[in-house]
Amino acid sequence: MSDSQNHRALAPRRHDEILRRLATDGSVGITELAAFFDVSRETIRRDMKFLAERGQLDLVHGGATLFEATEPALTLRSQENAAGKAAIGRAAAALVEDGMVVFLDSGTTTLAVAHALTCKQNLTICTTSLTIALHMCRQPHVRVHMLGGEIDPSEEAAVGVDALEAIGRFRIDVAFLGGGALSPDGEITDFTRNGAEQRSRMAATAARAYFVLDSSKFGRLTPLRIQRFELAAGVIVDAPPPAAMIEALERKGPKVIVGE
């Protein structure tokens, strides 16, 4: 049997294994499958494309998932891993000094950061989040700038061109940014183009930027890479990611900070 014939004969076995792993884990990664089958990443990409064209999986950055790559609404996410997000919030607040200008991204983990900042004095808070703006404007000795734009009802935050332009008008000392996932190969990714672009812009604009990701984001696969995430000083988490993930991330630049 020729190499090409052998490749075709093995392809159905790979497809079955990919679908079996999806049914078990909900997502699969290109790198891990290439190593498992001892084939190239391009071969796995072709396998995934074949299955996606038949409606058996959704392609996302770095792999595939059984489910549509959309993030749950803010109200649902707020109930998940509250203790872990609080630990992240405390670690983030320790990086903030009185008098700083702080950008807080939308999301439930950045809301935990906002709650942890109530002991700080004379902060200027810039945010796209309605929830965070409302909370922080009730704190003494805090000025709040709500960055405008169209409101995304599921995120309860401003998005789009107006929000991107508003980001550029501020001198930010430190920014705390959300994200959809920390991928197995150490990249920070997102669900939407708006979210990825806003986070990319802030990572490049702030004097220091940190992504805040709770452990539910480890190893997940979402569609869009956040460009320039490598410029962030660090990623604040509630538990250590797998060692290979830490190594891959820190090789790109950001350091892992574990909250307590």
Side-chain angles (χ1 to χ4, degrees), residues 146-236:
M146 178 72 200
L147 307 188
E150 181 180 355
I151 299 300
D152 177 346
S154 66
E155 192 66 16
E156 298 180 7
V159 298
V161 174
D162 291 337
L164 286 173
E165 290 180 351
I167 286 171
R169 291 198 287 270
F170 291 89
R171 181 198 60 79
I172 304 295
D173 292 310
V174 60
F176 297 104
L177 310 173
L182 177 59
S183 73
D185 54 357
E187 293 196 326
I188 301 175
T189 62
D190 218 330
F191 289 91
T192 68
R193 182 177 177 183
N194 277 330
E197 178 60 28
Q198 286 183 194
R199 286 155 185 157
S200 172
R201 184 78 60 92
M202 187 50 63
T205 300
R208 285 183 297 131
Y210 296 89
F211 283 89
V212 291
L213 304 174
D214 82 294
S215 53
S216 70
K217 305 289 181 74
F218 300 168
R220 289 172 66 177
L221 298 170
T222 57
L224 296 167
R225 184 177 183 271
I226 298 176
Q227 301 293 326
R228 300 179 288 186
F229 78 88
E230 302 94 338
L231 298 176
V235 178
I236 307 173

Side-chain angles (χ1 to χ4, degrees), residues 39-57:
V39 297
S40 69
R41 291 165 62 95
E42 188 56 40
T43 295
I44 298 300
R45 287 191 184 94
R46 286 196 297 268
D47 289 339
M48 289 183 175
K49 182 179 179 183
F50 175 87
L51 294 169
E53 288 172 347
R54 284 153 181 77
Q56 293 177 280
L57 55 77

Side-chain angles (χ1 to χ4, degrees), residues 74-257:
L74 187 75
T75 51
L76 295 177
R77 303 197 320 268
S78 64
Q79 304 166 23
E80 300 172 351
N81 193 16
K85 292 173 183 178
I88 292 171
R90 291 190 294 271
L95 299 168
V96 176
E97 299 176 8
D98 291 347
M100 277 187 167
V101 180
V102 181
F103 176 81
L104 293 176
D105 195 5
S106 62
T108 55
T109 309
T110 45
L111 179 59
V113 177
H115 283 284
L117 289 175
T118 53
C119 61
K120 302 294 180 178
Q121 299 289 317
N122 301 318
L123 296 181
T124 299
I125 301 294
C126 302
T127 186
T128 55
S129 166
L130 296 172
T131 308
I132 290 174
L134 185 60
H135 172 73
M136 294 306 296
C137 76
R138 292 169 173 166
Q139 308 309 312
H141 313 297
V142 175
R143 298 178 64 192
V144 177
H145 292 269
M146 178 72 200
L147 307 188
E150 181 180 355
I151 299 300
D152 177 346
S154 66
E155 192 66 16
E156 298 180 7
V159 298
V161 174
D162 291 337
L164 286 173
E165 290 180 351
I167 286 171
R169 291 198 287 270
F170 291 89
R171 181 198 60 79
I172 304 295
D173 292 310
V174 60
F176 297 104
L177 310 173
L182 177 59
S183 73
D185 54 357
E187 293 196 326
I188 301 175
T189 62
D190 218 330
F191 289 91
T192 68
R193 182 177 177 183
N194 277 330
E197 178 60 28
Q198 286 183 194
R199 286 155 185 157
S200 172
R201 184 78 60 92
M202 187 50 63
T205 300
R208 285 183 297 131
Y210 296 89
F211 283 89
V212 291
L213 304 174
D214 82 294
S215 53
S216 70
K217 305 289 181 74
F218 300 168
R220 289 172 66 177
L221 298 170
T222 57
L224 296 167
R225 184 177 183 271
I226 298 176
Q227 301 293 326
R228 300 179 288 186
F229 78 88
E230 302 94 338
L231 298 176
V235 178
I236 307 173
V237 297
D238 60 316
M245 201 177 293
I246 294 176
E247 181 181 355
L249 173 67
E250 294 193 339
R251 212 167 38 234
K252 294 174 172 63
K255 302 302 180 185
V256 173
I257 301 169

